[in-house]
Amino acid sequence: MTSDTPRTRRRAVIWIAVVAAVVVIGVVAAIVGTNLYASSENAKASAAPSVAASRAPSTLDAADLSGAWTVGGDSEAGYRVHEVLNGSDVTVTGRTDSVTGSATVDGAAITKATITVQVADIATDSAQRDSYFRDSALDTSAFPTATFTLTEPIADAVPSGSGTGTTKVEATGDLTLHGVTKSVTATLEVGLNGDGVDVSGSIPITFSDFGVQAPSLGFVQVDDAGAVEFLVHATPAS
């Protein structure tokens, strides 16, 4: 009995050391894996939309600006959110080109505008995330679209001529999301491009203001605040 006691103790110490090493390796692997995932996801995030600094020469002149405009091809919209995954910061962006709308221009001023986005078509790189977004967060079967409607004219919004300059303005309007309408302010960049006008912008939002519950799954926590982002191309209707 006495001669076996030190040997038993040594075995116990060895097993404790082995278990501790396995735990440490597991923790390190989890941290490294999370950091690698976060880096990968951040690399996939789309850049904030902006009007190209160097655009194709416009075929429009000042006389072409006034009138009805249509929003359609080459347009996109979506969201940008921040989430924390096991302590690591991750930026997620979703995008869709299912964007339509109309606007009225008077000289260089935009007097009316309505933009509609098919929310159910917004996609990221994760089918699981998109499913939660559509079915749980925004209930797109009941609220399939998001709409921005301009409520105040924007003076001097559209640059004249065929140069490569852009204008930066603010647009006040109503954003309808998840069946809730709130007054918001969008920061816009506007520039002539080819046969029309490009408009990029971002609208900061708080999801709970629209009755949307940001997901919290223990290992991942999504911020309640995010942004609606868009880049739309509008052309004269006639």
Side-chain angles (χ1 to χ4, degrees):
M1 291 289 293
T2 304
S3 61
D4 289 340
T5 300
R7 183 180 302 172
T8 302
R9 289 176 179 173
R10 284 196 298 272
R11 288 175 178 173
V13 170
I14 292 172
W15 276 111
I16 291 172
V18 170
V19 170
V22 170
V23 171
V24 170
I25 291 172
V27 170
V28 171
I31 293 173
V32 171
T34 298
N35 288 338
L36 288 174
Y37 174 81
S39 297
S40 174
E41 289 299 292
N42 287 328
K44 295 175 185 176
S46 301
S50 63
V51 175
S54 178
R55 304 184 311 279
S58 176
T59 59
L60 302 172
D61 58 35
D64 297 321
L65 299 180
S66 293
W69 290 64
T70 300
V71 173
D74 299 323
S75 298
E76 68 173 20
Y79 65 84
R80 180 179 300 271
V81 297
H82 169 261
E83 65 183 28
V84 177
L85 174 67
N86 290 334
S88 294
D89 294 317
V90 178
T91 297
V92 176
T93 56
R95 294 288 186 264
T96 180
D97 59 4
S98 298
V99 181
T100 57
S102 62
T104 301
V105 176
D106 184 3
I110 301 175
T111 58
K112 296 180 181 180
T114 299
I115 309 297
T116 299
V117 179
Q118 298 298 320
V119 180
D121 293 343
I122 296 176
T124 66
D125 64 306
S126 169
Q128 183 177 9
R129 180 191 292 121
D130 295 342
S131 177
Y132 180 90
F133 178 85
R134 289 190 301 267
D135 301 333
S136 300
L138 290 181
D139 188 11
T140 57
S141 60
F143 310 105
T145 63
T147 303
F148 174 81
T149 302
L150 188 68
T151 55
E152 297 180 13
I154 311 172
D156 300 320
V158 184
S160 60
S162 58
T164 59
T166 61
T167 58
K168 292 186 177 181
V169 295
E170 289 192 342
T172 300
D174 288 338
L175 175 64
T176 300
L177 177 69
H178 196 236
V180 178
T181 300
K182 296 285 185 179
S183 178
V184 297
T185 299
T187 301
L188 307 181
E189 184 177 17
V190 186
L192 297 175
N193 184 6
D195 61 347
V197 172
D198 283 344
V199 181
S200 67
S202 176
I203 305 172
I205 65 169
T206 299
F207 293 113
S208 57
D209 288 346
F210 293 88
V212 177
Q213 179 65 48
S216 177
L217 305 177
F219 63 93
V220 60
Q221 175 75 49
V222 179
D223 288 356
D224 187 37
V228 174
E229 299 180 331
F230 53 88
L231 174 61
V232 300
H233 183 69
T235 55
S238 59

